[in-house]
Amino acid sequence: MKSENLNPNYVNSRKDSMIGGEDGSSENASSSTRAARPSSFHYSSHMLTVALAKGRMQDEALALLGRAGVEVSGEALASRRLAVEDAEGCYRFVFVKPADVPVYVEHGIADCGVVGRDVLLESEADVLQPLDLGISRCRIVVAAPDGAAAHDYGMLHVATKYPRIAAAHFGARGVPVEIIQLSGSVELAPVLGLADCIVDLVETGQTLADNGLRVVETITESTGRLVVNRASYQLKAVAVARLIKALREVTTAVESKA
Amino acid sequence: MRRCRVTQRSIFMNSLSEIPGGMRYHFGAEARLQRSIEDGCMAVFDGWSYEEIATPSIDYYALFERGMGRQEAQRAFRFTDADGRLLALRPDVTSSVARAAATLFAGRARPLRFCYAASVFRQRSRSHAEWRRESRQAGCELVGAGGRAADIETLLIAAEVLERLGLRSGTRITLNNVEVFNGLSEKLALDTGAREEMRRIIDTRDDSALQEFIRHHTTQVAQGGEWGLARLAGQREVIDEARRLISNPRSRVALDALDELWGVIEQLELTDLFEIDLGDVSGLDYYTGLVFKVYVAGAGSRVGSGGRYDDLTVNFGRREPAVGFVLELDALTEVLMRRAATMEPAQSHESGAPIVEPDGDAAGLFREARQRRAANSRVRIKQRDEG
């Protein structure tokens, strides 16, 4: 879905099928168009579609929403469905890969989303970020093997899942780097000699330590954020404000306790 | 494995069938809809006495750099003229209209009212959702008129277009005045970097970052309660709230102007179409007063924007007030196309009765065709190899 949405040709082909309807199959064509983007027809200013990043973020976000009075039945969650509604019918939650949350929100397919700041920085998505939820707290760091001359940067080979963040970080320091983009197990790259260091998300640092890596510097902190589509923020103002208010109350409660 | 490789090559092979990213064809029902939306816009503009103007598709890059600001202009397609001067494929129309107003129309009585429908080209899009690199815009520019009446005139023209497209119930036009932000920024004595930082924070409604920013940049705690970005959007109460928090004279003047504007909107009973959004702080280097954005249900990003740009024409040797807006015709077409799809199947355009070619008598065939055309009915000539 992600690549389809970002690919301009996707829209071309969608329109193709619509115009194809003129040959007599217009009914089929328009219904297939409808199926392609169902939520576009969802003009209700009451119900919000919220994209949650799957994994730990999803669990913590749902727990936070539960405290804010938004209940999602355990049964619905256990069903492994990718879209579930809350008990009161105010929200529809869709569960997508973290990197896809800003995509859905930026296109307005989802009105809101919960996703880590790391993903937002990397995606450079044009979305509103009204609330830091303080969940899934971790750091984006530069890590290198023990004993490596960390600041002796000549030409650095950096392995990462975050090519933009890494390039911006070293670029700001005037360090020439070659970014090697990986999609997982980034810690392995320095061990096997693919890269001198890595830029990655670190929670406890255990995985780093297990692979003989040490944090050289922290680029930035990352926490779960509430993000909102720009158009939805205006067009579903009441519903969005209600969600922000409910979540703000429970996040500040957590902060003051801590 | 071998087969796999062959498939990959055929997918990525550079061939003539490829279309550059962000470019597309328009045809059939969608092209007709877009044409009718464009015609509708121009009819409304004409109804408010705006004169059509067509600007050059290619112009000197320097024009757009002055007219849009360097950052925006850099998104243009650029190339060089025969003498090496930098050209650009028109990334906006306003710059060119402003130049014409100051030069070509220098002698004409003010105010000048211009409207246009034109394609604009941008090499890099503003966001991932706005993937188009060629887009069609319809817009108005009112040059040589300052003050509230001119602002209201342009707002009402935009509103009328949306009403006539049947979009009134799902439309929200957000209003702000850039001087509210400029006053705050001046009060806090922000340098360029910090000003941009504050602009970005407010633009993304990043409340936690704003609290942090204010703490960092003010010695005395902001008086009169907390700064809450969530409360920056709404109706008249937003202005009252802002007045409670903001005391600097420059921002206060802007708030008064917004208040007066809102008063007129209330009297016209148009408050369902409008909203005040003090968080709209994009395009600060360009606009000098009122700014507005148009949102329509069914479109994930804005479908229009505008505002007052009193400092633009001075670049072309004549300072005068100006206000204008553009509507994104592609986005509007997409919204209306999707709505039409839910209501009824697309109408066939093949309704012209085919004229069958009588054996060999081409003259007879086309005589009849010409007669029907003279009566303004649609004809479709049946060609020999047609089924």
Side-chain angles (χ1 to χ4, degrees), chain B residues 21-156:
Chain B
M23 297 293 178
R24 56 163 301 184
Y25 292 94
H26 291 264
F27 51 84
E30 195 193 15
R32 289 195 295 279
L33 178 62
Q34 179 149 331
R35 165 84 54 193
S36 74
I37 294 172
E38 185 176 315
D39 291 346
C41 288
M42 295 306 277
V44 172
F45 299 162
D46 180 58
W48 289 83
S49 305
Y50 281 67
E51 187 182 334
E52 180 165 0
I53 186 168
T55 67
S57 303
I58 293 169
D59 218 314
Y60 287 116
Y61 176 68
L63 168 75
F64 302 110
E65 202 175 31
R66 283 287 194 86
M68 310 168 76
R70 181 163 297 178
Q71 214 179 346
E72 279 289 303
Q74 273 174 351
R75 291 163 50 211
F77 284 92
R78 286 176 284 185
F79 43 96
T80 48
D81 203 350
D83 61 2
R85 287 181 70 182
L86 201 52
L87 296 169
L89 205 48
R90 173 177 64 204
D92 97 327
V93 179
T94 308
S95 308
S96 189
V97 172
R99 175 183 60 188
T103 53
L104 206 53
F105 300 102
R108 275 226 208 160
R110 267 37 185 178
L112 299 167
R113 289 185 169 87
F114 291 119
C115 68
Y116 54 83
S119 294
V120 296
F121 305 87
R122 295 180 179 182
Q123 189 147 23
R124 285 184 292 124
S125 64
R126 187 180 289 110
S127 75
H128 302 112
E130 295 169 35
W131 57 268
R132 292 180 199 90
R133 296 204 287 178
E134 173 176 8
S135 58
R136 193 92 185 143
Q137 293 185 335
C140 280
E141 316 289 350
L142 174 51
V143 182
R148 198 178 48 182
D151 290 353
I152 294 167
E153 178 175 323
T154 47
L155 284 175
L156 292 189

Side-chain angles (χ1 to χ4, degrees), chain A residues 61-239:
Chain A
L62 285 171
L64 200 63
L65 283 158
R67 284 207 297 281
V70 181
E71 296 293 341
V72 179
S73 78
E75 198 183 319
L77 289 175
S79 72
R80 314 293 296 165
R81 267 184 293 155
L82 291 174
V84 299
E85 285 184 18
D86 75 316
E88 287 176 28
C90 296
Y91 301 99
R92 176 173 59 176
F93 294 100
V94 293
F95 307 113
V96 299
K97 286 186 81 168
D100 296 347
V101 171
V103 178
Y104 279 96
V105 175
E106 199 170 5
H107 283 80
I109 302 299
D111 302 300
C112 306
V114 175
V115 67
R117 179 153 176 266
D118 56 318
V119 176
L120 291 173
L121 287 173
E122 186 58 32
S123 74
E124 293 178 341
D126 183 32
V127 293
L128 304 181
Q129 308 175 26
L131 206 54
D132 180 353
L133 299 173
I135 56 174
S136 300
R137 188 174 294 276
C138 42
R139 293 175 297 157
I140 304 170
V141 302
V142 181
D146 282 339
H151 292 286
D152 186 15
Y153 294 153
M155 170 68 179
L156 211 55
H157 299 270
V158 185
T160 185
K161 282 187 282 187
Y162 302 97
R164 279 185 180 152
I165 296 175
H169 173 74
F170 290 106
R173 282 160 178 71
V175 179
V177 286
E178 185 187 320
I179 306 283
I180 302 161
Q181 187 174 354
L182 298 175
S183 41
S185 305
V186 179
E187 301 84 1
L188 208 53
V191 177
L192 297 181
L194 178 63
D196 303 317
C197 65
I198 64 170
V199 167
D200 206 9
L201 205 59
V202 175
E203 208 180 303
T204 61
Q206 193 55 49
T207 318
L208 288 185
D210 289 350
N211 288 286
L213 298 176
R214 212 163 46 189
V215 172
V216 179
E217 58 185 316
T218 298
I219 297 177
T220 185
E221 291 247 314
S222 176
T223 48
R225 303 281 171 131
L226 177 71
V227 294
V228 182
N229 173 267
R230 284 183 182 273
S232 299
Y233 185 80
Q234 308 296 343
L235 295 166
K236 301 185 177 180
V238 176

Side-chain angles (χ1 to χ4, degrees), chain B residues 243-262:
Chain B
R243 281 198 179 120
R244 215 164 53 74
L245 293 168
I246 299 169
S247 56
N248 78 80
R250 193 170 169 184
S251 299
R252 290 301 282 263
V253 169
L255 287 171
D256 290 346
L258 271 178
D259 197 1
E260 282 180 26
L261 186 65
W262 192 260

Side-chain angles (χ1 to χ4, degrees), chain A residues 24-81:
Chain A
S25 59
S26 52
E27 217 151 325
N28 289 340
S30 60
S31 65
S32 75
T33 311
R34 211 173 305 164
R37 292 177 88 166
S39 58
S40 318
F41 297 93
H42 200 45
Y43 295 136
S44 160
S45 57
H46 305 294
M47 185 181 257
L48 290 182
T49 300
V50 184
L52 299 182
K54 278 199 277 198
R56 192 182 137 209
M57 186 75 74
Q58 174 186 330
D59 299 335
E60 293 187 26
L62 285 171
L64 200 63
L65 283 158
R67 284 207 297 281
V70 181
E71 296 293 341
V72 179
S73 78
E75 198 183 319
L77 289 175
S79 72
R80 314 293 296 165
R81 267 184 293 155

